[in-house]
Amino acid sequence: MIDRDQVLHVARLARLELSEDEVERMSGELSKILDHIEKIGELDDLDGVEPTSHVVALENVLRPDEPRPSWPRERVLAEAPDAAGNGFRVPSPGA
């Protein structure tokens, strides 16, 4: 069981301000989490189990990063409100 002082210590490390009700509730919840971790540690046949970070297998849904041709400079500058030479003119941040 995690006592009040331990909860307040963790809250101070996490820079959390907890009310008295929250301290009491967190004490119970953190104790349950630690009890659960102890039960998992009591299991004998975990040697062949690979550690996982997700319950289900995930795959990357991002497309490969492949270079593609960009828009032609003339077309981009044609859309610009204030083109100058080969670039855009923008207002000065201090203006």
Side-chain angles (χ1 to χ4, degrees):
M1 177 76 176
I2 294 182
D3 62 18
R4 181 180 188 285
D5 291 336
Q6 291 171 316
V7 171
L8 290 174
H9 178 69
V10 172
R12 185 178 59 81
L13 293 175
R15 299 179 188 259
L16 296 173
E17 291 185 26
L18 302 177
S19 67
E20 287 301 318
D21 291 340
E22 290 172 325
V23 170
E24 188 69 31
R25 190 181 76 220
M26 294 301 288
S27 175
E29 290 178 358
L30 290 173
S31 294
K32 286 180 184 176
I33 291 170
L34 292 178
D35 290 344
H36 188 72
I37 291 172
E38 284 182 18
K39 283 186 180 181
I40 291 173
E42 293 172 0
L43 297 174
D44 294 332
D45 56 350
L46 294 178
D47 292 337
V49 178
E50 292 288 325
T52 60
S53 59
H54 297 281
V55 176
V56 295
L58 297 176
E59 64 182 66
N60 190 354
V61 295
L62 302 175
R63 64 174 170 76
D65 188 18
E66 298 173 358
R68 295 183 296 177
S70 62
W71 283 18
R73 181 184 309 251
E74 297 79 26
R75 175 147 185 226
V76 173
L77 291 175
E79 301 288 331
D82 190 9
N86 289 331
F88 303 103
R89 290 173 36 127
V90 294
S92 170

